[in-house]
Amino acid sequence: MHLYTLTSADGHVESYTDRKRYWWMLSLVNPLIPLLGVGGHLFSANELWLVVPLLLMFVLGPLFDWLFGEDENNPPEVLVPQLEDDRYYRILTYLTVPLHYITFLCVAVWVGTQSLSWWGFLTLTVAVGFADGFAINTGHELGHKRTKIETWLAKIVLAVPAYGHFWIEHNRGHHRDVATPQDPASARMGESIYKFARREIPGAFHRAWMIEHERLCRKGVPVWSLHNEVLQSYLITIVLQVGLIAAFGWIMLPFLLVHNFFSWWVLTSANYIEHYGLLRATQADGKFERCQPHHSWNANHKYSNLLLFHLQRHSDHHANPTRRYQSLRHFEDLPSLPSGYYGMYIIAYFPSLWFKMLDPRLLALPHINGDLSKINIDPDAKQHIYAKYGE
Amino acid sequence: MLSMASKFRCPGCGYVYDEAQGDDHEGYPPGFAFAELPEGFVCPDCSVRYKEDFLQDDPA
Ligand SMILES: [Zn+2]
C-alpha cells in the first residue's frame, strides 16, 4: 500500500498509509447497484430480482454501517498535499461518471424492451433514480475542484439526474447561505422532509438561476446561451431523455419522470439531514458568522462514507470546500448522526420518528445547550417547539 | 493603473483576486479594482469567506 512520507527541517519523519485506499473502489459499486437487478432478472427470468437493488441500498446499507462501525482516522496535515496530488483518488471520481451513464442507459433499455409488471417497473425505476441521485454526489465532489476537467465532468454527470443547476446552486448558493433561515437547502427544526422539499426544490432552482443570471449580465453575454452553466448540463439531459423517448416510445415518459423525481429526492434527503436546525449566529454588523464546523451534521460510518466519497464528514467539507474527499477529517464534539445517510434517510421519511430522535440531539449540542434562540426553527412550528422545549 | 494593481487572497481556500487580471469567469475585467467588487462579494472558490475577510498580498 502506498506510503506517504515527509521529513521536516528538524529531521522528524511523518508517514501515513491510507488504510481505506483500495476500499475507496466501493464508490464504483454504488452506480452499478441497479444493474444487479437487471442482470439477475436477465439470467433467472424472475422479476423479484428487480427489488434487490433497493434492498441493497436501504436494508444492507444501514446494516453495514452498524456492522462495520465508524472510522475516526485522519491523515496528518503535513501529508495532505501529497494525498491530494495522488491521482489515484481522482481517477475513481472520473470513473463513476461513465458508470452512471451506463447504468442509466442499461436500465432504460431494459424498461423499454421488456414488458415488466407494474411493481417490477416501479422498483427498478426508483432504484435507478436513487442510484443516479448519488450521481449528484459525484458531481458534488468534482464540482468543488478547480481543474477544468473536473468541473466539466461535474456538469456531465449532473445531466443524468437532470439536476444541471446543482453545481452553481450548491457551490455559490448553499455554501454561502448554509445554516441560515434564508437557505432553501438547510432544513429547519420542526420542518418535515415533505414540507422541506416544497421549499428546497423550487428555492434551489431559483437561487441557481439568479446567481448565474447575475454573472452572465456582468460578463455581458445573453442568459439564454451556451455560456449559461445551468443550461449546459440541461442540454445534455434533454438530448439524453428525448433520445430515449424517440427510441423506446412513451413508456419512457413515466420512467423518466419517476427516475428524475427520485434522483432529486436523494439530494433533498441529503440536504434535509445535513444541517437540520443548525443556525449561524448574526454578528454585530448584521451579517451571519462564517460557517463553522458545528454548523453541519456528520456521520463517520465506514461503509456509507466509502460509497459517498466522505460526504458525511460534512463539517470539514463546509469549512474547507475545496479539500478533496480522501483528506476530509473527523473532529471530536461535532453534531453527529446515529447512522450513515442510508439509515438517516429512512428515519427522515417518518417525520415523527425523526423529530423524536433528532430534536433532543440538536438541543443537547454543546453550542446550543437547550437555547432555542440558537436554533433555525420553522416559523410554523415555533409555538409548538417553545411549548415543548422552552423553559 | 496596472502598476498599482494588488492581489487579494481568500484566507480560507487560497483563491487570489488579482486586480491586474480581474476574474474573467466571474465577469470582472482586467484592471477591475478589488474595492469596486460588490459588497456581497463571496469567495468564488469556497463561498465561505466574504469580501472583508480577504487579505492583501504583500507587494514585496
Ligand atoms: Zn475561498
Side-chain angles (χ1 to χ4, degrees), chain A residues 144 146 167 171-173 175-177 215 218-219 229 280 283 285 287-291 318-322, chain B residues 12-15 23-28 38-53:
Chain A
H144 270 297
R146 294 181 171 109
W167 184 48
N171 288 22
R172 311 304 305 278
H175 272 271
R176 182 191 64 197
D177 300 334
R215 184 183 76 88
R218 257 197 320 262
K219 278 177 83 89
E229 294 187 322
R280 284 154 63 191
Q283 298 175 158
D285 65 359
K287 291 192 178 182
F288 289 105
E289 64 174 319
R290 307 304 179 266
C291 181
H318 267 275
N320 305 287
T322 55
Chain B
C13 74
Y15 166 86
D23 186 323
D24 177 51
H25 183 263
E26 292 302 308
Y28 302 113
E39 254 331 284
F41 178 82
V42 178
C43 172
D45 273 358
C46 70
S47 297
V48 176
R49 305 304 175 116
Y50 299 168
K51 184 179 174 184
E52 58 264 40
D53 301 330

Side-chain angles (χ1 to χ4, degrees), chain A residues 168 208-216 227-230:
Chain A
I168 291 166
W209 191 261
M210 295 312 285
I211 290 171
E212 187 61 353
H213 188 273
E214 213 175 282
R215 184 183 76 88
L216 295 169
H227 296 285
N228 186 320
E229 294 187 322
V230 174

Side-chain angles (χ1 to χ4, degrees), chain A residues 217-246:
Chain A
C217 288
R218 257 197 320 262
K219 278 177 83 89
V221 296
V223 174
W224 289 94
S225 71
L226 278 179
H227 296 285
N228 186 320
E229 294 187 322
V230 174
L231 296 181
Q232 287 168 354
S233 183
Y234 272 107
L235 203 64
I236 307 175
T237 303
I238 289 170
V239 170
L240 207 59
Q241 303 207 343
V242 170
L244 285 175
I245 294 172

